[in-house]
Amino acid sequence: MDRIHIKGGARLKGEIAISGAKNAALPLMAASLLSDKPLALTNMPWLADIAFMADILRSLGVEASYARGPRLSDGGRLELSAANIASTTADYDIVRKMRASFLVLGPLVARMGHAKVSLPGGCAIGARPVDLHLKAIEALGAAVELAEGYVVVTAPDGLRGARIEFPIVSVGATENTLMAAALADGETVLINAAREPEIDDLGHCLIAMGAKISGLGTSRIVVEGVKSLGGAEHSVLPDRIETGTYAMAVAIAGGEVELVNTRGSLIGTVIPLLESIGTEITETNRGLAIHRNGVRPVAADISTSPFPGFPTDLQAQFMALMATADGVSHIKETIFENRFMHVPELARMGADIKVEGDMATVTGVDRLKGAPVMATDLRASVSLVLAGLAAEGETVVNRVYHLDRGFERLEEKLSGVGAEIERQSA
Ligand code: UD1
């Protein structure tokens, strides 16, 4: 199994190209099922999760071909054609690897009137049920049954528009419902919809395919169903979690790095926070310039919340940063239970963190110390890499397949700005 070795202490200097967003790309890929015409996605990252989703789509009969961009910093192009859907069953063996595979449910039912999808697996961060997805699809007129670990959904006469109010904000349930409603008969109103930029991106792609959607970017989205959707070409939006992660890498290691192919509005609440702890951030015409001189970051408190709040997917990285800050920081995780699995690993590097329920109290230390650590989930693992950049001595991150799910060429991007980081294949 691959490991990542990091020698801490190097200042970062140069530029990092931000990839297309994994969390936008996955639902966009599922949207290809809605039409018998081709969908071309550009600025596509190439990641283990994208390969999983391509495998799931292929198992349903979708033709998928990926071509890398001319330069490493360019995104790839993924061409998808669901002209012939050969199967409406998404098997356990594939779905268990990634929770986002559940996003094929809405499109399959909307287009084919039937879907049998295994209950998902994915990151081990709490229970993560799919009840909201299922209630919404039922509200659109489908019958839902659970059998032997599978969800079987049928709507032989098609879906009907409905008013759907989500009791809590769910990114995935909003996406699944938006895709299903695009082909439902009549109007669907989504209330308390998620407002994450990835939902906008999906909505704009669906509109390019011929869907009638208004209210994107707000918590009330209205969809006027159409009979069929066409083809489209769509560029995947930049990855805001990767943007925030590398901004925090500079904040923890010090240095001066321009993040290109991204924009500040994607991490609107994170920018003032990083500024308040001693990082300078400037919008450039290509992205964001991040600068921190040698001074230690100062402690700050955060609480995760749905967009535009502080993203849960940056919580672990921010905790690594606070582990070296001057002062005491309180970090509250409100989205997922059990999302503090990075805490014992950071503690192995000398971090002083106490967890009580959904709150972690981090007392910053002068310097973390390199250690062998283990990646436990996608975002937790990158927090260990950030900690390693700032630590004294060598950090070895084991189980890096978690990182490969969501960070494209991480060690290459970081070594490109001067970090001493390399992958060793076992
Ligand atoms: C997406 C992101 C993930 C991110 C998360 C929150 C993708 C592929 N993944 O995950 O990286 O951490 O948003 O920003 O885009 N919930 C229910 N019932 C449901 C669905 C969700 O109770 O049917 C709960 C979840 O357990 C969680 C909360 O709702 O506590 C938010 O989850 P949700 O927004 O659905 O996250 P995902 O779409 O799975």
Side-chain angles (χ1 to χ4, degrees), residues 10 41 72 82 93 171 238 271 290 321 338 349 356 368 390 398 415 417:
L41 299 173
L72 268 181
D93 274 345
V171 174
I271 291 178
I290 320 287
L321 179 57
N338 200 15
M349 301 177 70
E356 248 177 274
L368 294 170
N398 293 288
S415 60
V417 292

Side-chain angles (χ1 to χ4, degrees), residues 23 99 128-133 168 170-172 312-313 335-336:
N23 284 355
R99 180 180 162 84
R128 300 186 84 175
V130 287
D131 55 318
L132 302 175
H133 300 240
I168 57 169
S170 162
V171 174
T312 172
D313 286 352
I335 309 282
F336 293 113

